[in-house]
Amino acid sequence: MRMLAKREHSVVQLKRKLTARGHDETVAADVVADMTEAGWQSDERFAETLARSRAGQGYGPLRIRAELKEARVPEARIREAFEALACDFTEVAQQLHARRFGNVPARGAEFQKQYRFLAQRGFDSAQIRAVLKGDPED
């Protein structure tokens, strides 16, 4: 219960943490199942919270999706989280870029540096191109 009081966790994360603390795997699975049934744990809530948090921190959809998959959240829950998020990731990338590099157009090596930075944050090439080149259609 203390783990869930601090932040949301996925089913897999809770099971892993409980077994790491010395609890039997079947007991951990039963406890997590009971928590899910009681509504204390929800993969849907976890996915929405993580997606909202990471988007607010300036991360792109590729990075957020990878984190959710790493936490073994089902694909249907991931899609629901992105639908609930309703975020314009191109705008998030634009704000992040402006904070980090200003609005000065980049050329050559500086362009590549900025591209890599945004790619590492989880933005796709269309979003990065829209930010760096100012593509009006994106």
Side-chain angles (χ1 to χ4, degrees):
M1 289 299 288
R2 278 184 266 141
M3 285 186 271
L4 285 175
K6 293 179 182 181
R7 70 170 181 90
E8 293 289 339
H9 289 76
S10 71
V11 169
V12 174
Q13 287 176 334
L14 280 176
K15 287 179 187 176
R16 187 184 61 225
K17 286 184 177 186
L18 288 172
T19 54
R21 292 183 177 167
H23 299 286
D24 184 49
E25 286 185 31
T26 54
V27 172
D30 291 342
V31 168
V32 172
D34 291 344
M35 288 179 169
T36 302
E37 188 177 314
W40 297 332
Q41 186 284 328
S42 166
D43 274 349
E44 182 178 354
R45 240 185 358 252
F46 169 75
E48 288 177 10
T49 302
L50 185 102
R52 189 174 38 257
S53 170
R54 293 297 189 258
Q57 294 171 348
Y59 290 100
L62 301 176
R63 169 85 178 257
I64 296 169
R65 185 174 298 280
E67 282 190 47
L68 290 170
K69 284 184 178 183
E70 185 179 326
R72 297 203 179 145
V73 174
E75 186 62 37
R77 296 282 185 233
I78 294 173
R79 277 193 305 276
E80 290 171 7
F82 275 96
E83 288 171 9
L85 185 59
C87 179
D88 180 8
F89 283 105
T90 303
E91 180 65 29
V92 173
Q94 180 67 44
Q95 292 171 356
L96 178 65
H97 180 266
R99 259 193 337 259
R100 177 74 180 227
F101 301 106
N103 289 324
V104 179
R107 301 281 180 245
E110 185 63 25
F111 180 89
Q112 292 173 355
K113 175 184 173 184
Q114 292 176 14
Y115 191 100
R116 277 191 311 273
F117 173 77
L118 292 171
Q120 288 171 346
R121 296 291 287 214
F123 296 99
D124 64 31
S125 60
Q127 293 161 340
I128 297 170
R129 200 172 35 258
V131 170
L132 296 180
K133 291 187 176 182
D135 287 348
E137 57 192 60
D138 289 330

XYZ file of all heavy atoms in Angstrom, residues 36-123:
711
model
N -5.912 -4.600 -7.504
C -6.536 -4.209 -8.769
C -8.047 -4.347 -8.677
O -8.789 -3.460 -9.097
C -5.984 -5.071 -9.919
O -4.568 -4.914 -9.970
C -6.584 -4.669 -11.250
N -8.486 -5.457 -8.093
C -9.927 -5.703 -7.937
C -10.579 -4.652 -7.041
O -11.697 -4.208 -7.303
C -10.150 -7.098 -7.359
C -11.600 -7.526 -7.336
C -11.757 -8.944 -6.824
O -11.001 -9.812 -7.270
O -12.650 -9.156 -5.983
N -9.872 -4.219 -6.009
C -10.404 -3.213 -5.086
C -10.341 -1.800 -5.675
O -10.906 -0.871 -5.113
C -9.637 -3.261 -3.770
N -9.636 -1.651 -6.805
C -9.537 -0.343 -7.436
C -8.374 0.499 -6.943
O -8.255 1.672 -7.300
N -7.508 -0.070 -6.143
C -6.352 0.670 -5.622
C -5.246 0.768 -6.657
O -4.437 1.680 -6.629
C -5.821 0.026 -4.353
C -6.807 0.044 -3.220
C -7.802 0.954 -3.015
C -6.891 -0.882 -2.164
N -8.502 0.644 -1.883
C -7.955 -0.491 -1.324
C -6.177 -2.014 -1.819
C -8.321 -1.179 -0.190
C -6.537 -2.710 -0.691
C -7.596 -2.282 0.124
N -5.189 -0.226 -7.532
C -4.193 -0.229 -8.596
C -4.933 -0.292 -9.924
O -5.900 -1.026 -10.075
C -3.260 -1.433 -8.464
C -2.101 -1.463 -9.426
C -2.453 -1.857 -10.846
O -3.359 -2.639 -11.076
N -1.749 -1.297 -11.798
N -4.455 0.508 -10.898
C -5.072 0.513 -12.215
C -4.009 0.818 -13.262
O -3.345 1.855 -13.188
C -6.186 1.569 -12.262
O -6.582 1.825 -13.582
N -3.863 -0.093 -14.232
C -2.929 0.159 -15.326
C -3.384 1.364 -16.143
O -2.560 2.111 -16.664
C -2.799 -1.064 -16.230
C -1.762 -2.059 -15.734
O -0.990 -1.709 -14.814
O -1.718 -3.184 -16.262
N -4.680 1.553 -16.262
C -5.215 2.697 -17.003
C -4.805 4.009 -16.333
O -4.312 4.929 -16.982
C -6.732 2.600 -17.078
C -7.375 3.710 -17.874
C -8.880 3.546 -17.968
O -9.418 2.518 -17.512
O -9.527 4.464 -18.496
N -4.987 4.080 -15.017
C -4.589 5.279 -14.266
C -3.085 5.490 -14.339
O -2.616 6.616 -14.508
C -5.018 5.135 -12.797
C -5.961 6.174 -12.335
C -6.300 6.112 -10.861
N -5.755 5.078 -10.036
C -6.444 4.049 -9.531
N -7.719 3.912 -9.787
N -5.859 3.162 -8.766
N -2.331 4.409 -14.212
C -0.873 4.484 -14.310
C -0.449 5.048 -15.660
O 0.385 5.948 -15.737
C -0.248 3.104 -14.087
C 1.209 3.044 -14.434
C 2.158 3.610 -13.599
C 1.634 2.445 -15.605
C 3.509 3.566 -13.920
C 2.971 2.395 -15.939
C 3.908 2.956 -15.093
N -1.021 4.519 -16.744
C -0.656 4.952 -18.092
C -1.002 6.425 -18.308
O -0.191 7.185 -18.845
C -1.356 4.086 -19.137
N -2.180 6.840 -17.888
C -2.584 8.238 -18.058
C -1.699 9.177 -17.241
O -1.292 10.234 -17.721
C -4.045 8.422 -17.670
C -5.005 7.820 -18.672
C -6.457 7.931 -18.253
O -6.751 8.643 -17.254
O -7.296 7.317 -18.914
N -1.396 8.787 -16.014
C -0.553 9.619 -15.153
C 0.850 9.747 -15.719
O 1.408 10.844 -15.770
C -0.504 9.024 -13.729
O -1.832 8.938 -13.214
C 0.341 9.865 -12.808
N 1.428 8.640 -16.147
C 2.778 8.668 -16.695
C 2.826 9.482 -17.986
O 3.724 10.309 -18.165
C 3.298 7.251 -16.960
C 4.743 7.260 -17.428
C 5.663 6.869 -16.288
C 4.936 6.340 -18.593
N 1.847 9.294 -18.862
C 1.834 10.033 -20.128
C 1.695 11.537 -19.876
O 2.420 12.339 -20.471
C 0.691 9.534 -21.014
N 0.796 11.918 -19.000
C 0.598 13.339 -18.691
C 1.850 13.943 -18.057
O 2.302 15.031 -18.409
C -0.612 13.505 -17.772
C -1.050 14.915 -17.559
C -2.347 15.044 -16.754
N -2.511 14.111 -15.662
C -3.292 13.025 -15.685
N -3.985 12.732 -16.764
N -3.384 12.247 -14.643
N 2.458 13.206 -17.147
C 3.654 13.674 -16.458
C 4.818 13.854 -17.429
O 5.488 14.887 -17.439
C 4.032 12.688 -15.362
O 5.279 12.968 -14.827
N 5.068 12.850 -18.261
C 6.198 12.912 -19.191
C 5.994 13.980 -20.267
O 6.937 14.668 -20.644
C 6.443 11.559 -19.858
C 6.921 10.487 -18.895
C 8.263 10.858 -18.281
N 8.806 9.766 -17.533
C 8.779 9.675 -16.207
N 8.251 10.641 -15.493
N 9.301 8.639 -15.585
N 4.775 14.148 -20.738
C 4.512 15.200 -21.725
C 4.763 16.572 -21.087
O 5.332 17.455 -21.721
C 3.083 15.107 -22.243
N 4.383 16.721 -19.848
C 4.629 17.966 -19.134
C 6.101 18.228 -18.895
O 6.532 19.370 -18.762
N 6.899 17.163 -18.837
C 8.340 17.294 -18.648
C 9.078 17.509 -19.965
O 10.297 17.657 -19.977
C 8.898 16.040 -17.963
C 8.415 15.846 -16.553
C 8.807 14.487 -15.988
O 9.259 13.596 -16.699
N 8.603 14.316 -14.693
N 8.341 17.498 -21.081
C 8.964 17.750 -22.378
C 9.408 16.502 -23.111
O 10.323 16.568 -23.930
N 8.788 15.374 -22.857
C 9.117 14.147 -23.577
C 8.105 13.907 -24.681
O 6.945 14.286 -24.581
C 9.156 12.939 -22.639
C 10.333 12.977 -21.704
C 10.196 13.410 -20.398
C 11.593 12.601 -22.144
C 11.289 13.463 -19.542
C 12.692 12.652 -21.295
C 12.523 13.079 -20.004
O 13.612 13.136 -19.170
N 8.556 13.253 -25.746
C 7.723 12.994 -26.901
C 6.994 11.666 -26.821
O 7.220 10.857 -25.918
N 6.131 11.428 -27.795
C 5.295 10.223 -27.768
C 6.079 8.918 -27.886
O 5.678 7.909 -27.304
C 4.363 10.412 -28.965
C 5.074 11.358 -29.864
C 5.870 12.256 -28.965
N 7.187 8.929 -28.604
C 7.970 7.698 -28.740
C 8.568 7.280 -27.402
O 8.571 6.102 -27.041
C 9.067 7.875 -29.793
C 8.591 8.235 -31.203
C 9.777 8.468 -32.124
C 7.674 7.161 -31.742
N 9.082 8.236 -26.667
C 9.684 7.952 -25.357
C 8.613 7.505 -24.356
O 8.808 6.556 -23.592
C 10.406 9.204 -24.864
C 10.862 9.176 -23.431
C 12.239 8.497 -23.288
N 12.685 8.522 -21.925
C 13.598 9.357 -21.451
N 14.182 10.226 -22.237
N 13.951 9.310 -20.194
N 7.477 8.189 -24.367
C 6.391 7.842 -23.439
C 5.883 6.442 -23.732
O 5.701 5.629 -22.822
C 5.256 8.879 -23.531
C 5.752 10.248 -23.066
C 4.052 8.429 -22.710
C 4.805 11.400 -23.364
N 5.669 6.147 -25.012
C 5.194 4.812 -25.405
C 6.198 3.733 -24.980
O 5.817 2.682 -24.477
C 4.966 4.770 -26.907
C 4.371 3.474 -27.408
C 4.034 3.549 -28.885
N 3.033 4.552 -29.187
C 1.724 4.386 -29.025
N 1.269 3.255 -28.551
N 0.885 5.339 -29.333
N 7.487 4.005 -25.148
C 8.520 3.038 -24.759
C 8.499 2.796 -23.250
O 8.640 1.653 -22.800
C 9.889 3.531 -25.198
N 8.324 3.846 -22.463
C 8.262 3.678 -21.005
C 7.048 2.849 -20.601
O 7.137 2.003 -19.706
C 8.215 5.033 -20.308
C 9.547 5.722 -20.230
C 9.511 6.946 -19.327
O 8.979 6.854 -18.198
O 10.028 7.994 -19.764
N 5.922 3.090 -21.253
C 4.715 2.321 -20.932
C 4.876 0.860 -21.336
O 4.443 -0.036 -20.610
C 3.493 2.946 -21.605
C 3.058 4.292 -21.030
C 2.005 4.946 -21.907
C 2.553 4.134 -19.605
N 5.504 0.619 -22.472
C 5.747 -0.767 -22.892
C 6.724 -1.455 -21.948
O 6.585 -2.639 -21.651
C 6.269 -0.808 -24.326
C 5.190 -0.576 -25.343
C 5.728 -0.717 -26.746
C 4.609 -0.520 -27.748
N 5.056 -0.725 -29.123
N 7.721 -0.706 -21.473
C 8.681 -1.266 -20.520
C 7.982 -1.670 -19.226
O 8.354 -2.656 -18.592
C 9.769 -0.247 -20.226
C 10.878 -0.773 -19.351
C 11.945 0.279 -19.105
O 12.211 1.089 -19.996
O 12.509 0.257 -17.999
N 6.963 -0.906 -18.845
C 6.188 -1.230 -17.650
C 5.138 -2.306 -17.940
O 4.353 -2.661 -17.076
C 5.505 0.023 -17.104
N 5.143 -2.802 -19.172
C 4.252 -3.868 -19.640
C 2.775 -3.502 -19.531
O 1.940 -4.325 -19.171
C 4.554 -5.173 -18.925
C 5.955 -5.649 -19.227
C 6.106 -7.102 -19.038
N 7.480 -7.474 -19.367
C 8.130 -8.416 -18.738
N 7.553 -9.073 -17.770
N 9.351 -8.705 -19.088
N 2.492 -2.263 -19.868
C 1.105 -1.826 -19.939
C 0.561 -2.334 -21.270
O 1.230 -2.201 -22.302
C 1.011 -0.283 -19.861
C -0.405 0.194 -20.074
C 1.547 0.197 -18.527
N -0.636 -2.920 -21.284
C -1.206 -3.423 -22.540
C -1.370 -2.313 -23.581
O -1.626 -1.158 -23.248
C -2.574 -3.974 -22.122
C -2.470 -4.213 -20.655
C -1.488 -3.207 -20.134
N -1.223 -2.679 -24.845
C -1.290 -1.711 -25.950
C -2.614 -0.940 -25.951
O -2.636 0.257 -26.243
C -1.093 -2.430 -27.290
C -0.992 -1.513 -28.485
C 0.184 -0.556 -28.435
O 1.251 -0.944 -27.953
O 0.020 0.597 -28.889
N -3.697 -1.604 -25.616
C -5.001 -0.916 -25.577
C -4.990 0.207 -24.537
O -5.522 1.296 -24.778
C -6.107 -1.914 -25.257
N -4.380 -0.033 -23.398
C -4.287 0.993 -22.343
C -3.387 2.152 -22.787
O -3.635 3.298 -22.441
C -3.744 0.385 -21.054
C -4.628 -0.653 -20.441
C -5.783 0.001 -19.713
N -6.562 -1.011 -19.036
C -7.860 -1.149 -19.190
N -8.522 -0.332 -19.957
N -8.508 -2.083 -18.552
N -2.340 1.828 -23.534
C -1.443 2.874 -24.033
C -2.197 3.779 -24.993
O -2.104 5.006 -24.903
C -0.197 2.249 -24.707
C 0.655 1.515 -23.668
C 0.623 3.313 -25.417
C 1.809 0.727 -24.251
N -2.960 3.169 -25.911
C -3.760 3.978 -26.849
C -4.747 4.862 -26.101
O -4.910 6.045 -26.425
C -4.497 3.072 -27.832
C -3.652 2.641 -29.003
C -4.504 2.027 -30.102
N -5.336 0.918 -29.649
C -4.924 -0.346 -29.544
N -3.689 -0.663 -29.860
N -5.741 -1.288 -29.135
N -5.406 4.306 -25.095
C -6.371 5.078 -24.306
C -5.691 6.247 -23.595
O -6.250 7.336 -23.501
C -7.064 4.181 -23.284
C -8.011 3.171 -23.879
C -8.511 2.160 -22.863
O -8.228 2.319 -21.650
O -9.188 1.205 -23.280
N -4.496 6.012 -23.088
C -3.764 7.068 -22.386
C -3.429 8.214 -23.332
O -3.557 9.385 -22.964
C -2.492 6.510 -21.759
N -3.024 7.889 -24.561
C -2.704 8.934 -25.530
C -3.961 9.679 -25.982
O -3.917 10.886 -26.207
C -1.944 8.371 -26.724
C -0.469 8.281 -26.485
C 0.115 7.102 -26.055
C 0.345 9.388 -26.664
C 1.478 7.023 -25.815
C 1.712 9.325 -26.430
C 2.273 8.134 -26.000
N -5.079 8.965 -26.098
C -6.333 9.625 -26.448
C -6.767 10.574 -25.337
O -7.222 11.686 -25.599
C -7.420 8.590 -26.721
C -7.225 7.835 -28.021
C -8.183 6.662 -28.165
O -9.114 6.532 -27.335
O -8.001 5.878 -29.113
N -6.630 10.139 -24.100
C -7.008 10.982 -22.963
C -6.065 12.177 -22.830
O -6.472 13.243 -22.367
C -7.006 10.165 -21.676
N -4.831 12.006 -23.258
C -3.833 13.067 -23.140
C -4.164 14.236 -24.070
O -4.068 15.393 -23.667
C -2.446 12.499 -23.455
C -1.259 13.414 -23.266
C -1.174 13.901 -21.827
C 0.014 12.676 -23.639
N -4.570 13.934 -25.284
C -4.931 14.954 -26.269
C -3.911 16.088 -26.293
O -4.231 17.244 -26.079
C -6.337 15.477 -25.995
N -2.670 15.730 -26.536
C -1.554 16.679 -26.485
C -0.999 16.904 -27.890
O -0.879 15.966 -28.669
C -0.480 16.094 -25.571
S 0.975 17.096 -25.421
N -0.648 18.139 -28.196
C 0.019 18.458 -29.459
C 1.526 18.356 -29.213
O 2.145 19.282 -28.685
C -0.371 19.856 -29.930
C 0.287 20.228 -31.243
O 0.928 19.357 -31.872
O 0.167 21.404 -31.642
N 2.107 17.221 -29.588
C 3.515 16.986 -29.308
C 4.437 17.876 -30.127
O 5.561 18.132 -29.710
C 3.862 15.508 -29.494
C 3.400 14.662 -28.357
C 2.286 13.847 -28.483
C 4.053 14.696 -27.136
C 1.851 13.075 -27.416
C 3.623 13.933 -26.069
C 2.520 13.122 -26.213
N 3.976 18.372 -31.257
C 4.787 19.322 -32.009
C 4.943 20.602 -31.197
O 6.027 21.189 -31.143
C 4.154 19.614 -33.385
O 4.005 18.374 -34.093
C 5.013 20.561 -34.198
N 3.887 21.010 -30.533
C 3.940 22.205 -29.675
C 4.851 21.962 -28.469
O 5.612 22.832 -28.064
C 2.534 22.587 -29.213
C 2.490 23.801 -28.328
C 2.936 25.081 -29.028
O 2.777 25.199 -30.240
O 3.465 25.968 -28.324
N 4.784 20.760 -27.899
C 5.665 20.415 -26.779
C 7.124 20.481 -27.232
O 7.982 21.037 -26.531
C 5.334 19.009 -26.209
C 6.351 18.577 -25.173
C 3.933 18.980 -25.620
N 7.402 19.932 -28.415
C 8.764 19.959 -28.964
C 9.204 21.401 -29.217
O 10.353 21.755 -28.949
C 8.838 19.144 -30.250
N 8.304 22.221 -29.718
C 8.616 23.629 -29.981
C 8.975 24.354 -28.689
O 9.961 25.095 -28.627
C 7.418 24.322 -30.648
C 7.654 25.780 -30.954
C 8.703 25.975 -32.022
O 8.702 25.275 -33.026
N 9.602 26.894 -31.815
N 8.203 24.149 -27.649
C 8.476 24.791 -26.356
C 9.794 24.319 -25.770
O 10.583 25.116 -25.254
C 7.325 24.527 -25.382
C 6.044 25.206 -25.758
C 4.875 24.753 -24.900
O 5.008 23.867 -24.060
N 3.715 25.345 -25.131
N 10.043 23.020 -25.845
C 11.296 22.459 -25.341
C 12.485 23.024 -26.109
O 13.490 23.424 -25.508
C 11.271 20.930 -25.443
C 12.520 20.195 -25.001
C 12.753 20.397 -23.507
C 12.396 18.722 -25.328
N 12.362 23.080 -27.419
C 13.431 23.611 -28.260
C 13.704 25.082 -27.936
O 14.858 25.491 -27.821
C 13.072 23.439 -29.739
C 14.108 23.958 -30.660
N 14.069 25.226 -31.189
C 15.247 23.384 -31.144
C 15.115 25.407 -31.958
N 15.847 24.303 -31.950
N 12.648 25.857 -27.780
C 12.809 27.286 -27.471
C 13.490 27.475 -26.118
O 14.339 28.353 -25.961
C 11.456 27.986 -27.495
N 13.124 26.660 -25.145
C 13.754 26.743 -23.813
C 15.223 26.385 -23.873
O 16.056 27.009 -23.220
C 13.055 25.778 -22.844
C 12.089 26.410 -21.916
C 11.641 25.523 -20.759
N 11.738 24.093 -20.892
C 10.718 23.272 -21.174
N 9.526 23.750 -21.400
N 10.907 21.974 -21.240
N 15.544 25.365 -24.642
C 16.905 24.849 -24.675
C 17.834 25.634 -25.609
O 18.974 25.916 -25.274
C 16.863 23.375 -25.086
C 18.186 22.699 -25.247
C 18.832 22.407 -23.922
N 20.093 21.756 -24.114
C 20.477 20.694 -23.462
N 19.713 20.185 -22.542
N 21.641 20.153 -23.704
N 17.314 25.979 -26.790
C 18.177 26.558 -27.813
C 17.769 27.961 -28.253
O 18.471 28.580 -29.044
C 18.205 25.657 -29.059
C 18.692 24.272 -28.780
C 17.825 23.194 -28.749
C 20.042 24.027 -28.536
C 18.270 21.910 -28.502
C 20.496 22.744 -28.286
C 19.605 21.683 -28.264
N 16.634 28.448 -27.798
C 16.146 29.731 -28.296
C 15.481 29.540 -29.643
O 15.296 28.417 -30.118
N 15.129 30.598 -30.292
C 14.452 30.501 -31.584
C 15.370 30.841 -32.748
O 14.920 31.269 -33.803
C 13.216 31.410 -31.597
C 12.118 30.862 -30.718
O 11.928 29.655 -30.628
N 11.402 31.736 -30.037
N 16.649 30.663 -32.556
C 17.627 30.946 -33.607
C 17.673 29.761 -34.564
O 17.837 28.614 -34.133
C 19.029 31.193 -32.994
C 20.050 31.456 -34.073
C 18.964 32.316 -31.986
N 17.529 29.987 -35.891
C 17.606 28.871 -36.839
C 18.982 28.201 -36.805
O 20.003 28.877 -36.675
C 17.366 29.522 -38.205
C 17.031 30.937 -37.955
C 17.298 31.256 -36.526
N 18.995 26.904 -36.906
C 20.249 26.144 -36.820
C 20.674 25.676 -38.204
O 19.849 25.360 -39.049
C 20.055 24.954 -35.902
N 21.972 25.589 -38.400
C 22.556 25.101 -39.643
C 23.674 24.116 -39.314
O 24.308 24.208 -38.272
C 23.154 26.255 -40.461
C 22.194 27.340 -40.841
C 21.348 26.898 -42.045
N 20.416 27.955 -42.394
C 19.111 27.820 -42.284
N 18.597 26.714 -41.854
N 18.303 28.805 -42.619
N 23.899 23.187 -40.212
C 25.039 22.275 -40.111
C 25.067 21.440 -38.849
O 24.105 20.756 -38.504
N 26.176 21.489 -38.158
C 26.390 20.665 -36.964
C 25.422 21.038 -35.847
O 24.964 20.161 -35.099
C 27.826 20.805 -36.470
N 25.088 22.300 -35.748
C 24.142 22.731 -34.711
C 22.747 22.167 -34.982
O 22.038 21.771 -34.059
C 24.084 24.264 -34.633
C 23.225 24.796 -33.505
C 23.707 24.430 -32.107
O 24.913 24.167 -31.913
O 22.865 24.402 -31.183
N 22.361 22.090 -36.250
C 21.085 21.490 -36.634
C 21.059 20.021 -36.202
O 20.088 19.549 -35.623
C 20.882 21.605 -38.148
C 19.592 21.007 -38.640
C 18.436 21.761 -38.699
C 19.534 19.681 -39.045
C 17.243 21.213 -39.152
C 18.359 19.116 -39.494
C 17.202 19.885 -39.554
N 22.143 19.311 -36.478
C 22.232 17.898 -36.110
C 22.173 17.716 -34.594
O 21.532 16.787 -34.095
C 23.502 17.285 -36.671
C 23.488 17.198 -38.177
C 24.818 16.750 -38.740
O 25.796 16.591 -38.009
N 24.875 16.540 -40.041
N 22.825 18.578 -33.874
C 22.819 18.519 -32.412
C 21.393 18.698 -31.884
O 20.946 17.957 -31.004
C 23.738 19.603 -31.849
C 23.722 19.720 -30.349
C 24.599 20.880 -29.902
C 24.459 21.119 -28.423
N 25.219 22.295 -27.995
N 20.693 19.680 -32.415
C 19.335 19.943 -31.964
C 18.393 18.806 -32.368
O 17.513 18.421 -31.601
C 18.848 21.281 -32.517
C 19.599 22.452 -31.924
C 19.194 23.787 -32.520
O 18.176 23.894 -33.193
N 20.008 24.810 -32.268
N 18.597 18.266 -33.561
C 17.794 17.137 -34.027
C 17.970 15.946 -33.089
O 16.991 15.325 -32.651
C 18.195 16.752 -35.456
C 17.244 15.774 -36.105
C 16.281 16.211 -36.989
C 17.322 14.408 -35.819
C 15.405 15.321 -37.585
C 16.455 13.518 -36.402
C 15.487 13.974 -37.290
O 14.615 13.088 -37.865
N 19.230 15.620 -32.765
C 19.512 14.493 -31.864
C 18.879 14.717 -30.489
O 18.338 13.788 -29.888
C 21.020 14.280 -31.718
C 21.644 13.473 -32.825
C 23.075 13.063 -32.476
N 23.901 14.157 -32.002
C 24.599 14.960 -32.791
N 24.558 14.816 -34.092
N 25.336 15.924 -32.273
N 18.976 15.940 -29.987
C 18.398 16.254 -28.681
C 16.902 15.965 -28.671
O 16.404 15.282 -27.770
C 18.658 17.722 -28.316
C 17.942 18.159 -27.067
C 18.415 17.789 -25.825
C 16.793 18.923 -27.151
C 17.740 18.176 -24.665
C 16.121 19.323 -26.006
C 16.596 18.945 -24.758
N 16.193 16.450 -29.680
C 14.747 16.224 -29.728
C 14.417 14.750 -29.964
O 13.451 14.224 -29.400
C 14.104 17.112 -30.796
C 14.122 18.611 -30.486
C 13.662 19.418 -31.692
C 13.271 18.916 -29.267
N 15.225 14.069 -30.776
C 14.997 12.639 -31.023
C 15.199 11.830 -29.740
O 14.435 10.904 -29.456
C 15.926 12.142 -32.120
N 16.204 12.181 -28.949
C 16.447 11.471 -27.694
C 15.329 11.708 -26.688
O 15.106 10.887 -25.805
C 17.782 11.891 -27.089
C 18.963 11.360 -27.851
C 20.283 11.946 -27.378
O 20.320 12.935 -26.658
N 21.374 11.337 -27.802
N 14.639 12.814 -26.810
C 13.512 13.102 -25.932
C 12.243 12.388 -26.380
O 11.226 12.441 -25.707
C 13.251 14.604 -25.869
C 14.366 15.426 -25.259
C 14.532 15.186 -23.791
N 13.460 15.788 -23.032
C 13.579 16.310 -21.839
N 14.753 16.306 -21.245
N 12.551 16.821 -21.218
N 12.286 11.717 -27.553
C 11.168 10.887 -27.972
C 10.235 11.501 -28.998
O 9.112 11.033 -29.158
N 10.693 12.497 -29.717
C 9.857 13.084 -30.762
C 10.175 12.409 -32.088
O 11.316 12.040 -32.347
C 10.094 14.594 -30.850
C 9.673 15.316 -29.604
C 10.611 15.682 -28.652
C 8.344 15.591 -29.357
C 10.241 16.321 -27.485
C 7.955 16.233 -28.191
C 8.900 16.604 -27.249
